[in-house]
Amino acid sequence: MILRPPLLSLPPFFTLSFTHLLVLLVLQTLFLATPTAANKEDAPSITKYKFDTQPAAPPVYFEDSDTILILDAHGTILRSSNAGAIFSPIDDISKGLARALYLHPFDKETAYVWGKDTTHYITSDRGESWREFELRGYPVANRAPFSFHAGNKGKVIVNVCLSIFLCEEVAYYTLDGFESGVKELRKDTRGCVFARSTPEWGMNVVYGEGDEGKDVDDRAVCVVKGRYVDFPFRSRDNRLVVSDDFFEHEQEPILEAGRTVQGIVNIAVVKGFLVAAASARGTDELALYVTDDAAQWHRAEFPTDHRLEEDAYTILESTNYSIQVDVMTTPSPLNAMGVMFTSNSNGTYFTRNIEHTNRNFQGLVDFEKITGIQGIVLVNVVDNWEQVEEVPLSTKSIKSKISFDDGRTFTKLTADGDEIHLHSISDMSNTGRVFSSPAPGLVMGVGNKGKFLKEYNKGDVYVSDDAGLTWTKALTNAHKYEFGDRGAVLVAIYDEGPTNEIQYSMDHGKTWKKADLPEKVRARILTTTPDSTSLKFFLMGTVGDEEEAEHYAFSINFEDYHKGGKCGKDDFEKWYARKDDKGQPTCIMGHKQWYRRRKSDSECFVDKEFEDPVAEYEACACTKEDFECDYNFVPSEDGEKCVPSGVLDAPAGVCEKDDEFYTSSSGFRLIPGNDCDREASGAVNLDKEEKRPCKEAFKPPASGDISSSIKKFDASGFEEYYYMERTDRSHGDDETIVVRTEEGQVHMSHDAGRNWEEIFKDEKITAIYPHQYMNDVMFFLTGGKKVHFTYNRGFSFDHFKALQEPTQDRLQILSFHPNYKDWLIWTGAVDCGSEKGECHNVAYLSEDRGANWEPILRYVKKCEFIREEGRGEEKKLIYCEQYEEERLDQPIQLKWSDNWFADEHKAFSDIIDFATMSEFIVVAARKEDDRDALSCHTSVDGKNFAHAQFPPSFHVDTQKAYTVLDSSTHAVFLHVTVNDFEDFEYGSIIKSNSNGTSYVMSLNGVNRNRRGYVDFEKMLSLEGVILVNIVANMKEADEKKSKKMRTLITHNDGSQWTPIRAPAKDADGIKFGCDTSNTDQCSLHLHSYTERRDPRATFSSPSAIGLMLGVGNVGAELGPKEDADTFITRDGGVEWHSVRKGNYMWKYGDQGSIIVIVREDIPTKFVLYTLNEGEEWREYQFADAEYSIASISTVPSDKSRNFILWGKEGNGGRDSEIAAISLDFSGLTDRICELDENDPEKGDYYLWEPRHPMQEGNCLFGHVAQYHRKRPEASCYNGPSIEKLHRISHNCTCIREDFECDYNYEIATDGSCQLAPGSTPPDHSLQCKENPDLISYHPPTGYRRTPLDTCTGGQELEFTSKERACPQHEGEFEEEQRSKGLGGFWFFMLVFVLPISIATGVGYWVYQNWDGKFGRIRLGDSGPGGTGAVFDADKPWLKYPIMGLSAVVAVVAAMPLVLGTVWKSLLSMFGRGGGYGRVGTYTSRSDFSRGERYAVVDPDEDELLGEDEDEETGV
């Protein structure tokens, strides 16, 4: 409906003659032809359109046009070509098929519609016509599918998931706008973009030697999955790759310190910069890497007191010459604040602009640059920031600030002398920009006068026509507003409720007029063309309640407004964009900026539709602000100078002597793009080169020496120590360690133990809880409600008070969330020590690091967050063990909730306990019909459990125990106790399939201790190598005779076990007293986990590939530890060498390039170390007096070159002083090793391939893997983490060693897998039910592939049975078989000739080799050193009834903290009986990757773990 009066109206019944009619027609023609007020309006024309369906998204304009597209809630695209006056559905796209709408950001006529199926659409004529293209996939969550090329509209990258449930991401591309379909760009991606994703990118590309003229227009950058990483995918494994030929070839760029970087979580193109953010395990801190060519990268440096964290930084609208970043500074996003930084021109060094910026929980920051004007920024800051930091839920007091010099200084906003504050990005009420538009200098906002910003509905409209320098109140009450005709027209509509009018101004907001709407609506969106040059506006609003609202669009047109004549020359002024408080133009980036702008009092229209305003510039004299620090320079502390960031490199051919000088940068350079006038009067020239002394160009060489220092403590012993390891992504250079003494004193060192400081001097700390998942976080318990904590590696501390004192049971008090470091569970004691009621535990939850607590469940034993990658998005999933009916004499239930127990679900009614691991959750539950029997259940997703099927001879009785050992190789290793007589314990290891539900026998007679811990240790960072100790005299142990133990090793994840072949000679070069070729009687035996004083002393290191050390002896069995010697292997346990006579402790450093050993329990003042993997050992004297060393430590990752010896003076008596002795090996060399991933053996590294001792070709798990190893002779250090695995060279042909026995099968004496007596083969047809898309399956053959194995072809033993069709897929199966068929000549050869030939050969072989025993398949030898002796199905121990279980001791992959008694018992293991004091069993996170996973699950801890009346409770 058009609201316009008729041109000529006549009274009714008025009769006209022909003459009268002719005169009237002539007058009307003259009236219409005259450009006067006769054909102009007194108000804008307004057209109304009613939508049939609610719009699903804001309208989108094609730039420089009146064409609008809208997607409605039913999936239909509507189009208007007349600025919203009339809409109609698009004919080329059927109604309801559209999912999302995207405009091409660099082409004014192109748009895309993402369809709900595989058909999508593109238009190249602003939506008049559309064509289809096909692409299978689903949009990635929270990410647009399209990535556009800024220079060619036909080049598009599409990022999609192939499945809607599990995002297997892939990237496609097109070069012609999908005319010829799509091509695959790369698989296993996590987002791909064209480097040239903005018009500004590429202006600074610098070509390397030989690359001149290289076309980088097609350069694409992708975040991709880590090498050979299976599901669940972890962001910390992600890599960055670059390609110039659509990934026919790709390169992983060097990001930092000569290394590629893992953990890339995001990439973004910002103006001329490409930014990549990287994370690391153990911290939520991010490192930011910046490039302007996608080839040369630099790490962005921030001030040391601020750091970037995941989900806690926002890249703001930036300039062509800098990046703006806002970093959240509050612990929680619920009431967030931040600090704003601006980079230099290459994005590598950031300086602080303004603190306490206002943010919302979505990461939106109150920050906006004034459009079209350089240097003017509007921000909101929190004035009461101290209160908000102390009480996070405090109401913010927000103030508005403005800067006219690119954020260097900020000032307040004023209107008529009063301070005003405006609502900004975090509280948007309209679409598009908040304050400004391309209209030069016109700025509007909703806010109020006063001290602070009030609620939106208490605000008024303020306007400025000098880019924010001065403001005036324009309208009372809050309004939506928009700019048109380059600011000549301002339109606003009431925004606090329904209205039937709009208001408009023609004089920059000084005066306003009203125009009626045809409906009284609640305004939702007011907008216009993106360039604000049009005289047409578009309003969307609703009528009625939200549930039954009617949706309208209004087109508001000022083209016929009567005062809208076109402006003449005198109607414009020269308007300078920035002025100081005296009204004088100011300079930025070397110039003054001005526009030719319509005067505010001119009654005319600019009427240059779709022509953007163009800025003009006047050069200014160069000043200090026009310069920045050059490469390799950083600002001084006062910001006045630029000082070298390190040692400067002198040019080649100069500085042959120290007393010479050379010419170098002054430290400053002119900011790129700055056009200041160097010749103008008063100009400065800070970048003039200057002479520097040559002695500054030489870095002092490494001293070549090891240094040490000794710190003595006034205490009787060490109780526990923990490292807070700084990751490669973390800022700073500290190496932080915390130690607690037996007296409750806590000392901290930030420099690897050289200097120490006592903290909490006036309080006794009873326990230290490092955060399980965050290296930077640690909690200090006082025994009461007060808990101290640090979130930044001890550089500052805070505290909280719990609602109750900690539990009096020996259980874990604090539990942590893997992803949200502020989420805590506190187990507190209620009604203890009082007569009110029964003493019991209550679990409390905090989401703000202890500031507020809410009870979640009463009468609990323990509660844990259950959150791992790959277990869905249930971030609030919690498991709790609770006593039934809230009575301590009732069974323990397992309950779970995913909403903080607002609703709860009972998973099991009667359990012993549960254990969480990296891939599985295992629950030991009592059977309903027999409480003396247990059942084991496994879950992958945390909600659905499957019953675990044990081998057929197993019956688990609750009088025994089992231990969950490991699940890091896609299978659960479970130790089931056979003999539980104290000090005579042993059991069997069984191994699950890949989903943890069915188990087969792996090894019998494996040793364990009375605490439930097992002599089982996996080699860290090398798949499938495990060492165990078995009880060789099980019958005698059953009779309570001393155990005789032997060490076995497996190289294929428990499928085959062999003794360790001993070295030929001892450390003195003397042969051992037995025949080492007979491994049954003479092999190497090592003291393992159950005998260790400090469980952190693992055989191997997560960063030292292939290396293991151990103490033991060569012989028929394991001897006493005091008689043991020290041994090393360099090839993953295949060959061992004697290191030293005697019992030594060891630690790896610098990722294995340094190994330090020291005598255990024997006073010494020397350590031995090797720099070449034990080929040579050197001695270092660390003190003048002797010390008894109880432990040696370094950072958990073993990457540091610093070590600490923990011990006591002399022989370690009770009166001896305790000391921490720091050893620093960094002086040995200052050269970092060179690694080139493209030529990995070129520099200081070589490629090492692990092997199986009984297999050829270095095949292990069906493939040949190649790892980076530092050359032993290389004089350098590893430095930052190296991705150890270089590549999988190739997959191998399958052989027997690639398989293990299937469920219900056992290894026979000949090594084959035979059906266990009384058992039935597993039903493999169940695979068809589990996977409805499966066409066929193979009946059981007795074999199943080892979960890690990737072999192909050869002896594929699981497929030797005849393939069968799955039900409902018989037709597809037959068709598939026909497609595999043969015909003609090859059919004759295969069916007739080949069988005869084979039969002839086999017959001859049988004649030569027959032993008279038909009916047996012999697949492996069972002689000395083979597997037959261990796995013989006829051995007596396989016939023993295996009794059940009273406890579970779990090795939990992501659980370095222990629960209750075991934690404290293990703490007491250090130095018991020796008077050394006790060193903590655990460091944070990954100090000993195997030991960190122990968590006790036990219904009767005293029986399992033993009593210790003198032991502290830990609180």
Side-chain angles (χ1 to χ4, degrees), residues 95-157:
K95 293 183 178 180
L97 295 184
R99 184 188 299 273
L101 172 64
Y102 303 94
L103 288 182
H104 196 299
F106 310 114
D107 186 80
K108 300 176 181 180
E109 298 184 344
T110 301
Y112 293 88
V113 167
W114 189 267
K116 293 183 177 179
D117 201 348
T118 60
T119 302
H120 316 289
Y121 308 87
I122 180 175
T123 178
S124 299
D125 54 10
R126 295 193 172 112
E128 286 191 32
S129 62
W130 298 76
R131 58 181 171 83
E132 300 178 355
F133 64 93
E134 295 292 321
L135 194 152
R136 185 177 69 90
Y138 303 89
V140 182
N142 303 317
R143 189 168 1 124
F146 299 106
S147 175
F148 300 98
H149 192 284
N152 186 329
K153 71 173 184 178
K155 295 180 180 179
V156 183
I157 293 174

Side-chain angles (χ1 to χ4, degrees), residues 413-420 449 461-463 469-474:
L413 281 66
T414 59
D416 302 323
D418 296 322
E419 187 174 4
I420 65 169
K449 295 180 179 180
V461 177
Y462 291 84
V463 66
L469 184 63
T470 61
W471 296 77
T472 58
K473 180 179 175 181

